[in-house]
């Protein structure tokens, strides 16, 4: 009996029907199952290890890539409209930047346009308001000047904060001047000069008694200062228009928090 068992086993191994290619597909060999399962486990472990080695940024990119591709292939109507308006704004602003540098078509008038822009800068207006406040002897004049000083300070802080949030560059690579750095007016959106002249013109029209020609000149001055910022290449058209809107809103804010004569006198006495 012990000798017959090895012979039967050898006969079974040599039998062609016992080979793997002649077995039923529904009943594969145990060795094949074990090898396949071990291969799957190894590949699964390798994939898990690769996923663990990948950083969170790579995971986010792998998850976002299909969505970004879909957005590029099928942009929404709002996205198309916004990009079209943005392209028109950049194109028109570059065409109006006729004084952006000395080689521009109106490069010779750059100094004069810069001088016009200085009339809407915050530093000269704050200095002039302080000088007038020191020399003023009437309560009404001191009240108006104190509120004007408050409006100028609010304008600088609000515009600087909005520019830091937006961080939009101008149509041309123009380096800001020293006065721009002092008032933190280093970005394009919104235009600080435009917001300031809009606020000042509305302030003077409401609180000063001016003749009609002076009122017209005041409005024209505000428009020319805003246009000059586009001509020298510092701002886009939308930057200037948004600056006018923010300037009007700042005027409304100052009207809401208007300081009375007693409050102004107390602040002046402390100063």
């Amino acid at each position: 009996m012990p000798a017959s068992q090895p012979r039967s086993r050898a006969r079974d191994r040599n039998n062609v029907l016992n080979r793997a290619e002649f077995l039923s597909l529904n009943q594969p060999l145990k060795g094949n199952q074990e090898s396949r399962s071990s291969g799957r486990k190894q590949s699964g472990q390798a994939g898990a290890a690769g996923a663990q080695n990948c950083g969170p940024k790579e995971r986010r990119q792998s998850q976002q890539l299909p969505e970004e591709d879909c957005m590029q292939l099928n942009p929404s109507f709002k996205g198309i409209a916004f990009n079209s308006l943005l392209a028109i704004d950049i194109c028109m602003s570059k065409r109006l930047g006729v004084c952006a540098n000395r080689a521009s078509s109106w490069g010779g008038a750059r100094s004069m346009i810069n001088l016009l822009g200085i009339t809407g800068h915050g530093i000269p207006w704050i200095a002039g308001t302080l000088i007038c406040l020191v020399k003023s002897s009437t309560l009404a004049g001191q009240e108006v000047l104190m509120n004007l000083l408050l409006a100028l300070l609010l304008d600088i802080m609000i515009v600087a904060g909005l520019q830091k949030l937006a961080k939009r560059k101008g149509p041309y690579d123009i380096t800001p001047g020293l006065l721009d750095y002092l008032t933190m007016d280093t970005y394009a959106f919104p235009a600080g000069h435009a917001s300031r002249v809009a606020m000042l013109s509305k302030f003077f029209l409401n609180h000063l008694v001016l003749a009609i020609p002076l009122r017209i000149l005041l409005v024209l001055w505000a428009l020319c200062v805003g246009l000059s910022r586009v001509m020298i290449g510092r701002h886009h058209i939308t930057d200037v228009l948004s600056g006018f809107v923010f300037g009007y809103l700042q005027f409304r804010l100052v009207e809401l928090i208007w300081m009375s004569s007693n409050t102004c006198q107390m602040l002046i006495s402390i100063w």
Side-chain angles (χ1 to χ4, degrees):
M1 290 294 294
S4 63
Q5 288 180 356
R7 292 177 183 175
S8 62
R9 291 176 184 173
R11 195 181 307 113
D12 292 337
R13 283 198 299 267
N14 294 328
N15 190 1
V16 178
L17 297 177
N18 289 332
R19 294 179 185 177
E21 56 268 20
F22 291 98
L23 292 178
S24 173
L25 296 177
N26 296 327
Q27 297 178 355
L29 288 176
K30 295 182 179 180
N32 291 340
Q33 287 182 346
E34 293 176 357
S35 62
R36 289 176 186 176
S37 61
S38 62
R40 289 174 184 174
K41 289 180 181 178
Q42 290 177 359
S43 62
Q45 291 175 358
Q52 291 177 358
N53 293 331
C54 292
K57 293 183 179 179
E58 295 178 356
R59 292 178 186 173
R60 285 193 221 106
Q61 289 178 358
S62 63
Q63 293 176 358
Q64 292 177 358
L65 280 176
E67 186 177 356
E68 291 178 357
D69 292 340
C70 293
M71 291 298 292
Q72 292 177 358
L73 294 175
N74 300 312
S76 62
F77 176 76
K78 291 182 180 180
I80 295 174
F82 177 76
N83 291 331
S84 299
L85 292 176
L86 188 63
I88 293 172
D89 179 34
I90 295 174
C91 180
M92 294 298 295
S93 301
K94 284 185 175 291
R95 288 192 176 187
L96 288 176
V98 292
C99 302
N101 48 57
R102 294 293 180 182
S104 301
S105 56
W106 288 19
R110 180 175 171 81
S111 300
M112 185 178 64
I113 299 299
N114 277 326
L115 184 61
L116 180 61
I118 292 175
T119 61
H121 205 280
I123 298 298
W125 277 101
I126 291 176
T129 303
L130 290 174
I131 293 172
C132 293
L133 187 60
V134 170
K135 294 185 176 181
S136 178
S137 58
T138 62
L139 295 179
Q142 291 175 356
E143 179 182 351
V144 172
L145 289 171
M146 281 295 296
N147 285 278
L148 177 59
L149 181 62
L150 174 64
L152 290 170
L153 294 176
L154 283 176
D155 173 75
I156 290 176
M157 291 187 293
I158 291 173
V159 170
L162 291 173
Q163 287 187 356
K164 291 294 183 182
L165 289 175
K167 291 185 179 181
R168 187 186 188 189
K169 298 296 183 65
Y172 291 92
D173 190 12
I174 305 297
T175 304
L178 177 61
L179 294 178
D180 296 328
Y181 281 110
L182 290 177
T183 56
M184 296 174 288
D185 187 11
T186 55
Y187 291 100
F189 181 88
H193 288 66
S195 67
R196 195 168 301 114
V197 295
M199 184 269 297
L200 288 172
S201 60
K202 185 64 177 174
F203 189 93
F204 291 150
L205 289 175
N206 275 44
H207 297 287
L208 293 181
V209 180
L210 300 174
I212 293 178
L214 290 178
R215 288 175 173 267
I216 296 174
L217 288 176
L218 190 62
V219 174
L220 289 177
W221 166 72
L223 294 175
C224 289
V225 171
L227 180 61
S228 69
R229 305 305 291 171
V230 181
M231 293 176 66
I232 64 172
R234 272 287 274 121
H235 297 280
H236 300 87
I237 297 175
T238 53
D239 300 334
V240 174
L241 294 178
S242 61
F244 287 152
V245 174
F246 282 116
Y248 176 77
L249 295 177
Q250 291 166 9
F251 166 76
R252 300 300 302 174
L253 177 61
V254 172
E255 290 291 309
L256 290 175
I257 61 174
W258 185 269
M259 294 185 295
S260 63
S261 179
N262 295 331
T263 305
C264 294
Q265 290 302 313
M266 181 184 65
L267 293 175
I268 292 173
S269 63
I270 294 173
W271 179 40

